[in-house]
PDB file of all heavy atoms in Angstrom:
ATOM      1  N   GLU A  88     105.933-157.071  14.856  1.00 90.00           N
ATOM      2  CA  GLU A  88     107.214-157.283  14.128  1.00 90.00           C
ATOM      3  C   GLU A  88     106.993-156.936  12.717  1.00 90.00           C
ATOM      4  O   GLU A  88     107.809-156.272  12.088  1.00 90.00           O
ATOM      5  CB  GLU A  88     107.619-158.795  14.344  1.00 90.00           C
ATOM      6  CG  GLU A  88     109.122-159.010  14.087  1.00 90.00           C
ATOM      7  CD  GLU A  88     109.380-159.295  12.559  1.00 90.00           C
ATOM      8  OE1 GLU A  88     108.456-159.586  11.792  1.00 90.00           O
ATOM      9  OE2 GLU A  88     110.600-159.232  12.218  1.00 90.00           O
ATOM     10  N   ARG A  89     105.957-157.491  12.099  1.00 89.00           N
ATOM     11  CA  ARG A  89     105.731-157.182  10.686  1.00 89.00           C
ATOM     12  C   ARG A  89     105.399-155.784  10.314  1.00 89.00           C
ATOM     13  O   ARG A  89     105.891-155.262   9.289  1.00 89.00           O
ATOM     14  CB  ARG A  89     104.473-158.090  10.142  1.00 89.00           C
ATOM     15  CG  ARG A  89     104.851-159.509   9.948  1.00 89.00           C
ATOM     16  CD  ARG A  89     105.538-159.629   8.592  1.00 89.00           C
ATOM     17  NE  ARG A  89     106.598-160.603   8.533  1.00 89.00           N
ATOM     18  CZ  ARG A  89     106.764-161.595   7.609  1.00 89.00           C
ATOM     19  NH1 ARG A  89     105.690-161.810   6.735  1.00 89.00           N
ATOM     20  NH2 ARG A  89     107.865-162.268   7.672  1.00 89.00           N
ATOM     21  N   LEU A  90     104.650-155.085  11.162  1.00 89.00           N
ATOM     22  CA  LEU A  90     104.123-153.777  10.831  1.00 89.00           C
ATOM     23  C   LEU A  90     105.197-152.660  11.299  1.00 89.00           C
ATOM     24  O   LEU A  90     105.371-151.675  10.526  1.00 89.00           O
ATOM     25  CB  LEU A  90     102.882-153.445  11.515  1.00 89.00           C
ATOM     26  CG  LEU A  90     101.664-154.323  11.015  1.00 89.00           C
ATOM     27  CD1 LEU A  90     100.455-153.872  11.823  1.00 89.00           C
ATOM     28  CD2 LEU A  90     101.467-154.059   9.506  1.00 89.00           C
ATOM     29  N   LEU A  91     105.893-152.939  12.286  1.00 88.00           N
ATOM     30  CA  LEU A  91     106.757-151.888  12.832  1.00 88.00           C
ATOM     31  C   LEU A  91     108.234-152.222  12.905  1.00 88.00           C
ATOM     32  O   LEU A  91     109.032-151.558  12.337  1.00 88.00           O
ATOM     33  CB  LEU A  91     106.219-151.465  14.251  1.00 88.00           C
ATOM     34  CG  LEU A  91     104.776-150.998  14.325  1.00 88.00           C
ATOM     35  CD1 LEU A  91     104.336-150.835  15.760  1.00 88.00           C
ATOM     36  CD2 LEU A  91     104.616-149.627  13.648  1.00 88.00           C
ATOM     37  N   LEU A  92     108.537-153.211  13.737  1.00 85.00           N
ATOM     38  CA  LEU A  92     109.878-153.520  14.095  1.00 85.00           C
ATOM     39  C   LEU A  92     110.779-153.812  12.744  1.00 85.00           C
ATOM     40  O   LEU A  92     111.894-153.295  12.606  1.00 85.00           O
ATOM     41  CB  LEU A  92     110.031-154.784  14.941  1.00 85.00           C
ATOM     42  CG  LEU A  92     110.311-154.554  16.407  1.00 85.00           C
ATOM     43  CD1 LEU A  92     110.339-155.832  17.117  1.00 85.00           C
ATOM     44  CD2 LEU A  92     111.437-153.697  16.717  1.00 85.00           C
ATOM     45  N   LYS A  93     110.209-154.491  11.851  1.00 84.00           N
ATOM     46  CA  LYS A  93     110.805-154.917  10.624  1.00 84.00           C
ATOM     47  C   LYS A  93     111.474-153.798   9.946  1.00 84.00           C
ATOM     48  O   LYS A  93     112.529-153.966   9.371  1.00 84.00           O
ATOM     49  CB  LYS A  93     109.736-155.544   9.743  1.00 84.00           C
ATOM     50  CG  LYS A  93     110.275-156.497   8.697  1.00 84.00           C
ATOM     51  CD  LYS A  93     109.039-156.926   7.923  1.00 84.00           C
ATOM     52  CE  LYS A  93     109.527-157.549   6.660  1.00 84.00           C
ATOM     53  NZ  LYS A  93     109.197-158.772   6.283  1.00 84.00           N
ATOM     54  N   ARG A  94     110.792-152.569   9.930  1.00 85.00           N
ATOM     55  CA  ARG A  94     111.252-151.484   9.166  1.00 85.00           C
ATOM     56  C   ARG A  94     112.502-150.819   9.812  1.00 85.00           C
ATOM     57  O   ARG A  94     113.086-149.910   9.214  1.00 85.00           O
ATOM     58  CB  ARG A  94     110.198-150.430   9.069  1.00 85.00           C
ATOM     59  CG  ARG A  94     109.029-150.868   8.259  1.00 85.00           C
ATOM     60  CD  ARG A  94     107.807-150.040   8.678  1.00 85.00           C
ATOM     61  NE  ARG A  94     106.599-150.827   8.363  1.00 85.00           N
ATOM     62  CZ  ARG A  94     105.889-150.587   7.203  1.00 85.00           C
ATOM     63  NH1 ARG A  94     106.173-149.655   6.400  1.00 85.00           N
ATOM     64  NH2 ARG A  94     104.807-151.339   6.959  1.00 85.00           N
ATOM     65  N   LEU A  95     112.829-151.259  11.033  1.00 84.00           N
ATOM     66  CA  LEU A  95     113.890-150.589  11.704  1.00 84.00           C
ATOM     67  C   LEU A  95     115.192-151.413  11.878  1.00 84.00           C
ATOM     68  O   LEU A  95     116.221-150.905  12.390  1.00 84.00           O
ATOM     69  CB  LEU A  95     113.456-150.213  13.164  1.00 84.00           C
ATOM     70  CG  LEU A  95     112.300-149.257  13.330  1.00 84.00           C
ATOM     71  CD1 LEU A  95     111.948-149.016  14.701  1.00 84.00           C
ATOM     72  CD2 LEU A  95     112.633-147.878  12.666  1.00 84.00           C
ATOM     73  N   TYR A  96     115.189-152.662  11.231  1.00 81.00           N
ATOM     74  CA  TYR A  96     116.288-153.477  11.381  1.00 81.00           C
ATOM     75  C   TYR A  96     117.624-152.918  10.944  1.00 81.00           C
ATOM     76  O   TYR A  96     118.725-153.136  11.488  1.00 81.00           O
ATOM     77  CB  TYR A  96     116.094-154.842  10.775  1.00 81.00           C
ATOM     78  CG  TYR A  96     115.184-155.709  11.412  1.00 81.00           C
ATOM     79  CD1 TYR A  96     114.372-156.610  10.706  1.00 81.00           C
ATOM     80  CD2 TYR A  96     114.841-155.571  12.727  1.00 81.00           C
ATOM     81  CE1 TYR A  96     113.497-157.496  11.294  1.00 81.00           C
ATOM     82  CE2 TYR A  96     113.959-156.456  13.393  1.00 81.00           C
ATOM     83  CZ  TYR A  96     113.289-157.303  12.641  1.00 81.00           C
ATOM     84  OH  TYR A  96     112.348-158.155  13.315  1.00 81.00           O
ATOM     85  N   ARG A  97     117.521-152.094   9.884  1.00 79.00           N
ATOM     86  CA  ARG A  97     118.774-151.504   9.335  1.00 79.00           C
ATOM     87  C   ARG A  97     119.269-150.408  10.054  1.00 79.00           C
ATOM     88  O   ARG A  97     120.341-149.867   9.840  1.00 79.00           O
ATOM     89  CB  ARG A  97     118.583-151.138   7.848  1.00 79.00           C
ATOM     90  CG  ARG A  97     118.512-152.327   6.911  1.00 79.00           C
ATOM     91  CD  ARG A  97     117.656-152.004   5.750  1.00 79.00           C
ATOM     92  NE  ARG A  97     117.258-153.209   5.096  1.00 79.00           N
ATOM     93  CZ  ARG A  97     117.737-153.567   3.822  1.00 79.00           C
ATOM     94  NH1 ARG A  97     118.454-152.738   3.189  1.00 79.00           N
ATOM     95  NH2 ARG A  97     117.328-154.646   3.310  1.00 79.00           N
ATOM     96  N   MET A  98     118.450-149.814  11.056  1.00 80.00           N
ATOM     97  CA  MET A  98     118.912-148.624  11.708  1.00 80.00           C
ATOM     98  C   MET A  98     119.717-149.010  12.959  1.00 80.00           C
ATOM     99  O   MET A  98     119.781-150.087  13.363  1.00 80.00           O
ATOM    100  CB  MET A  98     117.644-147.810  12.081  1.00 80.00           C
ATOM    101  CG  MET A  98     116.651-147.846  11.010  1.00 80.00           C
ATOM    102  SD  MET A  98     116.425-146.214  10.395  1.00 80.00           S
ATOM    103  CE  MET A  98     115.284-146.505   9.045  1.00 80.00           C
ATOM    104  N   ASP A  99     120.079-147.853  13.628  1.00 79.00           N
ATOM    105  CA  ASP A  99     120.727-147.976  14.952  1.00 79.00           C
ATOM    106  C   ASP A  99     119.802-148.753  15.920  1.00 79.00           C
ATOM    107  O   ASP A  99     118.580-148.600  15.876  1.00 79.00           O
ATOM    108  CB  ASP A  99     120.940-146.546  15.421  1.00 79.00           C
ATOM    109  CG  ASP A  99     121.974-146.479  16.563  1.00 79.00           C
ATOM    110  OD1 ASP A  99     121.971-147.349  17.410  1.00 79.00           O
ATOM    111  OD2 ASP A  99     122.805-145.567  16.587  1.00 79.00           O
ATOM    112  N   HIS A 100     120.391-149.576  16.759  1.00 79.00           N
ATOM    113  CA  HIS A 100     119.618-150.291  17.842  1.00 79.00           C
ATOM    114  C   HIS A 100     118.719-149.354  18.591  1.00 79.00           C
ATOM    115  O   HIS A 100     117.658-149.773  19.076  1.00 79.00           O
ATOM    116  CB  HIS A 100     120.550-150.809  18.992  1.00 79.00           C
ATOM    117  CG  HIS A 100     121.487-151.862  18.445  1.00 79.00           C
ATOM    118  ND1 HIS A 100     121.312-152.517  17.301  1.00 79.00           N
ATOM    119  CD2 HIS A 100     122.593-152.418  19.016  1.00 79.00           C
ATOM    120  CE1 HIS A 100     122.280-153.385  17.171  1.00 79.00           C
ATOM    121  NE2 HIS A 100     123.088-153.372  18.222  1.00 79.00           N
ATOM    122  N   LEU A 101     119.179-148.132  18.757  1.00 82.00           N
ATOM    123  CA  LEU A 101     118.453-147.170  19.600  1.00 82.00           C
ATOM    124  C   LEU A 101     116.997-146.967  19.191  1.00 82.00           C
ATOM    125  O   LEU A 101     116.177-146.913  20.021  1.00 82.00           O
ATOM    126  CB  LEU A 101     119.208-145.877  19.321  1.00 82.00           C
ATOM    127  CG  LEU A 101     119.046-144.609  20.039  1.00 82.00           C
ATOM    128  CD1 LEU A 101     120.384-143.928  20.152  1.00 82.00           C
ATOM    129  CD2 LEU A 101     118.123-143.653  19.328  1.00 82.00           C
TER     130      LEU A 101
END
Side-chain angles (χ1 to χ4, degrees):
Chain A
E88 200 274 343
R89 279 277 142 129
L90 295 178
L91 302 169
L92 261 184
K93 201 182 164 130
R94 294 157 204 260
L95 297 177
Y96 287 154
R97 283 151 197 247
M98 318 247 175
D99 199 320
H100 294 344
L101 189 146

